[in-house]
Amino acid sequence: MSDQAQALRNMILQQNKPSSNKGTRILTVASGKGGVGKSNFSLNFALSLQKLGQKVLIFDADIGMANLDVLMGVPAPYSLYHLFQGQRSIHDIIQLGPGGLHFIAGGSGFRELLHLTEEQLQHADREISKVQGEYDLILFDTGAGLSREAERFIRGSHESIIVTTPEPTSITDAYALVKMVSHSHPDAKFKLIVNRVLDQREGRQTAEKMDLAAQRFLNVQLPYAGAIMDDPHVGKAVRRQTPFSLAYPDCQASRDILATARSYLEIPHVGDSTRTVKGFFHQWLNRKRNL
Ligand SMILES: Nc1ncnc2c1ncn2[C@@H]1O[C@H](COP(=O)(O)OP(=O)(O)OP(=O)(O)O)[C@@H](O)[C@H]1O
Ligand SMILES: [Mg+2]
């Protein structure tokens, strides 16, 4: 990218101001079983929230298997790795995706983050502090499975959206994830999304069953946050490398995700002022360094 183009890009990114002054909300999207639609949900949920006036940054936290850039069809030359290495600023590594969506790519080389110098850490600290308050919401799309990595992201977030499909294997794995996290982190807040439903009733029934089991056996609330229909437009959009809500804005999945985003914004979210973007990364990095 030429210096001029880079300067222009940075200017656009820095003009970013949140729609409210409630502080940046940190949200993690996770699942038990893989391939249930987390990345497609995260991307299109972020775009829908943006459509509703929110400033959103989406972060590919599927480290090593990152693919948000592939779903968006946007090459991602920089990732968090470049920031921590001290080579780039936070605004350099935030890329502009389709629909003007701001995103940070996953990338590789994260093992090397275990050996950062004090100077590199200070650079990262300064840079990360800059995004605090620039966004209404930062959304982390995590990798599949009951990984310690996903658990770490959940632990640092204000809340987590657990994605499941109505299939029993997906439900039991989602339940196992909630059980694992709530065991070590009883204050974790969850919401449930049921993806690939045949109709809305199937979504509600799946969510009710899970919420009842979580309340009874884990003493955890698992409030229903919406269902997305199984829709062939999703697969078509993935092949076109365009988010489905942009490629097919009127398809059922796009309408469902917009409705989900709308109801998400209608629920008052009690802020936790002790959680900051910088604190989130500190926690994540410290744990990594202690591995
Ligand atoms: N609502 C839907 N309707 C139809 N197909 C869907 C839907 N959601 C997801 N899919 C299909 O499932 C595939 C996997 O989706 P996605 O990559 O978002 O899952 P994931 O949970 O992020 O996977 P991983 O665990 O590997 O990160 C998509 O490529 C798409 O074909
Ligand atoms: Mg994914």
Side-chain angles (χ1 to χ4, degrees), residues 119-254:
E119 201 183 323
Q120 285 170 326
L121 274 172
Q122 280 177 13
H123 167 77
D125 253 7
R126 271 194 309 275
E127 291 299 318
I128 285 166
S129 304
K130 291 181 189 165
V131 291
Q132 179 69 30
E134 273 188 33
Y135 294 94
D136 294 302
L137 219 127
I138 301 186
L139 203 93
F140 289 86
D141 170 31
T142 64
L146 304 173
S147 72
R148 295 279 155 198
E149 199 65 64
E151 195 190 345
R152 248 174 244 134
F153 279 103
I154 292 174
R155 209 184 339 222
S157 304
H158 289 106
E159 68 181 333
S160 299
I161 292 190
I162 306 296
V163 181
T164 185
T165 69
E167 290 180 357
T169 43
S170 168
I171 294 173
T172 48
D173 288 1
Y175 182 82
L177 173 70
V178 172
K179 184 175 175 182
M180 180 180 88
V181 176
S182 59
H183 185 71
S184 59
H185 187 50
D187 296 335
K189 300 260 179 299
F190 301 100
K191 286 206 166 57
L192 187 71
I193 287 287
V194 190
N195 189 26
R196 308 197 71 162
V197 298
L198 298 178
D199 52 38
Q200 288 293 327
R201 211 182 72 176
E202 187 180 38
R204 271 193 309 275
Q205 283 177 344
T206 305
E208 260 168 39
K209 263 190 270 169
M210 280 196 71
D211 189 30
L212 271 178
Q215 287 197 44
R216 184 181 303 169
F217 302 113
L218 307 176
N219 201 21
V220 169
Q221 309 265 1
L222 207 50
Y224 178 48
I228 322 291
M229 286 266 274
D230 190 76
D231 184 338
H233 291 95
V234 177
K236 274 190 204 164
V238 171
R239 284 192 286 279
R240 279 178 60 182
Q241 289 189 266
T242 309
F244 65 80
S245 58
L246 294 179
Y248 308 105
D250 294 324
C251 77
Q252 191 58 50
S254 298

